[in-house]
Amino acid sequence: KEEIKEYIDKTIKDFPFHKYGLVVVEKLDKVHHKMKLKRRLSKNMRRLVSTWNYRYIYDKLFRECDNNRVRYSQISPYNNSITCPVPTCGHVDKRNRQLQEQFCCLKCGFSDNADYTSANVALRRGLLGTYGSQFKNFEGQYGKV
């Protein structure tokens, strides 16, 4: 656990905050929800994750954002992994993500890595959401949003 904590500290410290004006993360309040469902994780891994304090990561990241004058936003993970990131589509369907690693929109045919797609949807919500209006013309690592 200490090794994981040290890795988290080092990773957050090495993050290039000077390149970004906004950091968007999903709220993981229910990270333990349905952990035993279909035995997704082994017993040892469940034991490790069940005691894992995700608030530590959020607090550390928030402090570093504050120290580096970078805006920090938490958004709801609701439907992020099953929503199409194409602005003209935005189709939401559980069948868009039938495989854990792959996302494929049933409406427009967009296909990409599922985690990348979910992060892109979360970023879009963070930029264009209630508190993201000043970042509407944001041009970041993933292009203009």
Side-chain angles (χ1 to χ4, degrees):
K1 290 178 186 179
E2 286 301 315
E3 191 175 318
I4 292 171
K5 201 172 184 180
E6 287 176 18
Y7 179 78
I8 291 167
D9 290 341
K10 183 183 179 329
T11 304
I12 292 175
K13 186 177 179 183
D14 292 344
F15 186 80
F17 288 99
H18 64 279
K19 292 184 179 181
Y20 302 98
L22 174 68
V23 173
V24 178
V25 295
E26 287 184 342
K27 291 180 185 175
L28 295 178
D29 295 337
K30 295 186 180 181
V31 72
H32 301 38
H33 185 65
K34 294 185 180 179
M35 196 183 324
K36 284 188 173 181
L37 187 67
K38 296 182 185 176
R39 296 283 180 210
R40 291 182 181 168
L41 300 173
S42 69
K43 187 175 182 178
N44 289 337
M45 187 58 78
R46 282 196 316 268
R47 187 177 296 128
L48 178 67
V49 173
S50 67
T51 59
W52 176 59
N53 189 355
Y54 56 89
R55 289 297 316 161
Y56 177 78
I57 296 173
Y58 286 154
D59 293 341
K60 182 80 172 169
L61 187 59
F62 176 74
R63 280 192 306 264
E64 287 298 318
C65 284
D66 194 36
N67 291 340
N68 291 287
R69 298 177 188 211
V70 173
R71 209 159 145 233
Y72 175 86
S73 179
Q74 283 187 344
I75 60 130
S76 170
Y78 183 72
N79 285 344
N80 281 353
S81 62
I82 59 172
T83 302
C84 182
V86 177
T88 56
C89 181
H91 180 67
V92 179
D93 193 335
K94 285 184 180 180
R95 296 174 294 168
N96 283 347
R97 189 171 175 177
Q98 291 183 345
L99 300 174
Q100 180 65 28
E101 310 85 27
Q102 192 64 30
F103 177 91
C104 185
C105 181
L106 298 174
K107 187 175 179 185
C108 71
F110 174 83
S111 180
D112 203 353
N113 178 284
D115 292 332
Y116 172 79
T117 303
S118 180
N120 202 358
V121 171
L123 176 63
R124 183 172 304 282
R125 287 182 178 170
L127 293 174
L128 303 177
T130 308
Y131 302 106
S133 61
Q134 71 186 43
F135 289 91
K136 282 188 180 178
N137 295 323
F138 178 78
E139 189 164 336
Q141 181 179 357
Y142 302 111
K144 193 168 185 176
V145 179

